[in-house]
Amino acid sequence: MKYIDLRSDTVSHPTAEMREAMAKAEVGDDVYHDDPTVNQLEADAAALLGKEAAVFVTSGTQGNLCALLAHCQRGESILIGDTSHIFRYEQGGMAQLGGILPHTLPVQSDATLRLADLERAINPDDEHKPVTRLVALENTHNMAGGLPISAAYTDAVADFARRNNLILHIDGARIFNAAAAFGVDVQTLVAGADSVTFCLSKGLCAPAGSVLVGEHDFIRRARRARKVLGGSLRQAGILAAAGLIALHKMRDRLIEDHRNAQLLAEGLSEIPAVDIKSQNTNFIFFSLADDASVPLDAFVHILRRDYNIFMSPYTGESGRIRLRTHYWIDRAAIAKVVSAVSAILS
Ligand code: TLP
């Protein structure tokens, strides 16, 4: 890449190996379950996460929506973090298209929901109230600065869900970053979940696509939801071929992105006008000191115009800049970013 794009890990491009595999992919019509490459991806994804079945979806947003539509009836409610991606950044698809009511709870600084809050939020069997059907967690948590949540916490929520007859869904868009951060097998992070969405196209570099996993019957309903959302692709094996490489060859290197994020945060923190707010997994948040030589918008503009470095002010939290490391951000890029930021702010 001629530019250095730190706006998100979603900007990562497919690798040369992915492009080659895509060109050679064996394909069929996936609506007939006839695409061998999609079938392989779904089987491998289900096995890797320790679930019965999987469905390839176009995006994380679609995976989460298919899950909610397959789990819940219209008029039912779900318990979900107030800063979760599903609630904040998926256009309220659950309500818009599924008639599902989000009951939001405060996300704690460690990216968890308090069990006591969950307990209190369950509606009693009362004809005035929507039926509480599901709990949704997010791992890693985007708005909490990319914090991973532990297997022990997820198990506790799963246990709570089982005791209360609730379903547990995990938005695991970056679940492999969480697994890398804790150094655990991904199965331990999702063991108690009924369903998990994860993305092939963020840190794992595939050009598009996510996977939703769960029990056979749930996946059958989720496939129906995918169809009505217009997400059933035909020769999707072209995309699944890149997804297979993402799944099998890109997970183990995510820890490198985390180390690079740490290095970048360390480098930036030595610049007096930079205030690092947090660094977790592949995320960094920082702000500029009040007396910085340029305001934030101008800073972002100059970085792009003069250095080909892309950063974006985080819309959710004004005054902050969010950076993400990924496959295409290497040590040389980090050095360039630190020196450009230093030059602009000196
Ligand atoms: N997040 C994107 C933007 O939408 C904000 C990003 O750049 O981080 N769950 C989580 C936790 C996510 O961060 C995202 C994408 C999604 C779901 C949705 O995935 P896509 O973009 O594939 O629909």
Side-chain angles (χ1 to χ4, degrees), residues 7-10 58-62 64 84-86 89-90 138-143 171-174 197 199 201-202 209-210 283 314 322 324:
R7 288 171 301 172
S8 181
D9 44 10
T10 60
T58 57
S59 64
T61 302
Q62 189 177 72
N64 286 328
S84 65
H85 195 277
I86 293 179
Y89 295 112
E90 298 181 13
E138 184 174 315
N139 198 6
T140 62
H141 200 292
N142 190 334
M143 291 277 287
D171 174 1
R174 298 182 182 81
T197 306
C199 295
S201 64
K202 299 188 167 61
S210 294
F283 284 50
Y314 194 47
R322 184 192 73 176
R324 303 265 179 77

